[in-house]
Amino acid sequence: MTQTTDLTALIQAQSRQLSAQLSTLRERNFPPSSMKSFRRIAPAEAAKLLGVSESRVRQTASDHDLGEAHNARRTYSVEDVAALRRRLASGARSAERYIPARKDGEHLQVVTVMNFKGGSAKTTTSAHLAQYLALRGYRVLAVDLDPQASLTALFGIHSVADLSSGDTVYGAIRYDSERRDMASLVRPTYLPGLSLAPGGLELMEFEHETPRALSRQGDGGVALFARLAEAIRSVEADFDIVIVDCPPQLGYLGLSALVAATSVLVTVHPGMLDVMSMSQFLAMTGDLLSVIADALPDGARPTYDWQRYLLTRFEPNDGPQQQVAAFLRTLFAEHVLKNATLKSTAISDAGLTNQTIYEVDRTQFTRSTYDRAVEAVDAVNREIEELVLNAWGRR
């Protein structure tokens, strides 16, 4: 007799098993009494972040009793580095050198990171970019628009255990009377200057509710896609740069992110299947944006400072990847970032422990492996930072 499987019951049981095991693992690695924190920073790294000499760092830290000595070696917390930045800025002719916050007339930068193919390193890119900018003195808001909430988890928040209904970005864009102010959802992270608007499974409700909301709108309901833009605009006074991590599909959440964006970063793995998928993504995105732009009034139509492609998990010695990279650079020219995120065991291993390459201790890897990964990630983020500064009219 042939056995049949009750797929519903099987999936529900497996879901409960997996959830229980993940909760156990989380409590073992991150007990309720603990909070995720950033590693301590050596003087040389602090000097690099602040753009001054090591001796200047040591002298300023000594003057203001910052840092701690461990085994005759002084290190600094990220809070110490932030305090050093403020001290240096207070005595400088140009505070902008140390605190590069946007000035009057410089509009909020909203960088949407997207591609509807999974595995293109959107979340890893978003996390590294947000941390890089915060470590350099910008006020950064990371918006997790992915129902899978990987970015939220990477920043130490469990979307099920730590968040209640309405605590995610969904709370600021929902259609019912439970809609909340964006400011009430934003929470600080363990990195000074970096805040998070969490993601979670309830964001899927936006995908389900939007078609019904559209059917109720006499004007076609296109303005509904501006809900995320409105939510971000309500907190723009508190931030310089917003990084939006999109879900791996082009749904209503992704379209809302495009309407909110001032800049778009498309991550792509340099493989032919990924490029073919990106071709479909671009065709769909172009058509949908055209419909939205035509329906919105002139003042509400999205305008973009820049759009770029970022090659991710790139292996320079891989011949086929080199060919695909060259193909994209020939086709899109300056729209492909000059730097690529390299495939790295250091980045992969950091992810296994829910960390970024900036958070892990370099002693966990060989120096060359760690330095190569950090240099590649820094180069990408520095190039994006330059695009932001250019959009502000700075050199």
Side-chain angles (χ1 to χ4, degrees), residues 262-314:
T262 62
S263 308
V264 177
L265 182 66
V266 181
T267 57
V268 56
H269 176 62
M272 191 49 69
L273 288 177
D274 296 80
V275 172
M276 291 169 64
S277 174
M278 189 179 74
S279 176
Q280 297 175 323
F281 164 75
L282 293 176
M284 292 173 59
T285 303
D287 290 344
L288 291 169
L289 278 178
S290 177
V291 171
I292 290 174
D294 289 343
L296 287 171
D298 290 342
R301 294 179 184 178
T303 57
Y304 301 101
D305 294 319
W306 52 267
Q307 178 264 341
R308 293 292 187 275
Y309 298 97
L310 168 63
L311 301 178
T312 60
R313 296 188 293 114
F314 180 52

Side-chain angles (χ1 to χ4, degrees), residues 240-262:
D240 305 312
I241 304 170
V242 177
I243 309 298
V244 182
D245 183 29
C246 290
Q249 73 262 354
L250 188 60
Y252 297 117
L253 288 167
L255 285 173
S256 297
L258 282 170
V259 172
T262 62

Side-chain angles (χ1 to χ4, degrees), residues 80-258:
D80 290 332
V81 173
L84 284 168
R85 188 180 297 281
R86 291 191 296 271
R87 294 294 183 182
L88 291 167
S90 66
R93 289 184 179 179
S94 174
E96 178 187 309
R97 175 183 172 187
Y98 301 104
I99 301 179
R102 64 190 177 98
K103 307 172 223 176
D104 291 342
E106 295 177 340
H107 60 279
L108 180 72
Q109 288 289 297
V110 182
V111 181
T112 288
V113 183
M114 65 188 317
N115 194 333
F116 72 3
K117 190 176 189 304
S120 64
K122 290 186 301 296
T123 298
T124 303
T125 298
S126 299
H128 282 131
L129 178 57
Q131 290 185 341
Y132 170 93
L133 293 169
L135 284 167
R136 275 150 186 79
Y138 296 94
R139 300 171 302 162
V140 183
L141 173 63
V143 176
D144 190 352
L145 212 59
D146 189 346
Q148 298 179 68
S150 298
L151 185 68
T152 299
L154 198 56
F155 287 154
I157 298 172
H158 192 284
S159 62
V160 176
D162 298 331
L163 301 175
S164 301
S165 176
D167 284 346
T168 70
V169 181
Y170 173 68
I173 59 176
R174 61 192 301 166
Y175 295 100
D176 58 23
S177 59
E178 300 298 316
R179 189 178 183 186
R180 295 168 53 183
D181 292 333
M182 185 71 156
S184 69
L185 307 173
V186 172
R187 54 181 66 198
T189 69
Y190 47 88
L191 195 61
L194 175 58
S195 298
L196 172 71
L201 192 59
E202 67 178 7
L203 277 164
M204 285 303 300
E205 293 298 318
F206 187 76
E207 298 286 0
H208 299 151
E209 292 171 359
T210 298
R212 291 193 288 270
L214 287 170
S215 67
R216 296 193 296 266
Q217 296 291 314
D219 62 354
V222 178
L224 295 175
F225 295 113
R227 294 175 82 81
L228 179 63
E230 293 170 2
I232 291 174
R233 196 156 48 239
S234 70
V235 295
E236 68 175 319
D238 299 323
F239 301 102
D240 305 312
I241 304 170
V242 177
I243 309 298
V244 182
D245 183 29
C246 290
Q249 73 262 354
L250 188 60
Y252 297 117
L253 288 167
L255 285 173
S256 297
L258 282 170

